[in-house]
Amino acid sequence: DDDTQESFYAAVATAPIQQGDEILCSYGTGQDSSDELLFHYGFVPQEENEFDLDLMEDCGFDGWSSTLEEDEEFIVKEKLEGRHKIIFDFRIRLKRAQKKLTEGSYTDDL
């Protein structure tokens, strides 16, 4: 909105909607890694994402400056909230994917 300098999204119906009808918003293809969801939609799923494995393989990622365990302890100790918690959660999720990739334990039943 130019008057208030606020940003917003608008959903436009392409068919009539009756009161009480369910309206769903779909994100991604169902085969998107967390970084794709973050980039395109501004969030990452709360649950483990099997497609993070693709991210790790594609970028050839091989290490971090801290361990998964150190990050897990840090996020609890520092009581991170908001955006910082989201970023650390994402970092931890990627490290878990890397660990599973290294161990060969990534399965379809996440």
Side-chain angles (χ1 to χ4, degrees), residues 13-30:
T14 59
I17 301 172
Q18 302 299 316
Q19 184 174 356
D21 285 353
E22 184 176 26
I23 299 172
L24 302 173
C25 293
S26 177
Y27 296 99
T29 64

Side-chain angles (χ1 to χ4, degrees), residues 60-107:
F61 185 80
D62 62 0
W64 297 91
S65 61
S66 62
T67 67
L68 168 61
E69 293 75 17
E70 289 170 336
D71 282 358
E72 289 172 333
E73 290 175 15
F74 180 81
I75 201 168
V76 171
K77 178 182 171 190
E78 297 299 322
K79 299 179 183 169
L80 296 180
E81 296 180 7
R83 187 173 189 189
H84 290 104
K85 184 174 185 320
I86 292 168
I87 291 168
F88 247 84
D89 284 341
F90 183 57
R91 178 177 160 138
I92 288 169
R93 186 171 296 117
L94 292 178
K95 287 183 179 185
R96 286 179 182 154
Q98 177 65 36
K99 183 177 179 181
K100 289 177 181 181
L101 175 63
T102 302
E103 295 171 348
S105 64
Y106 231 115
T107 63

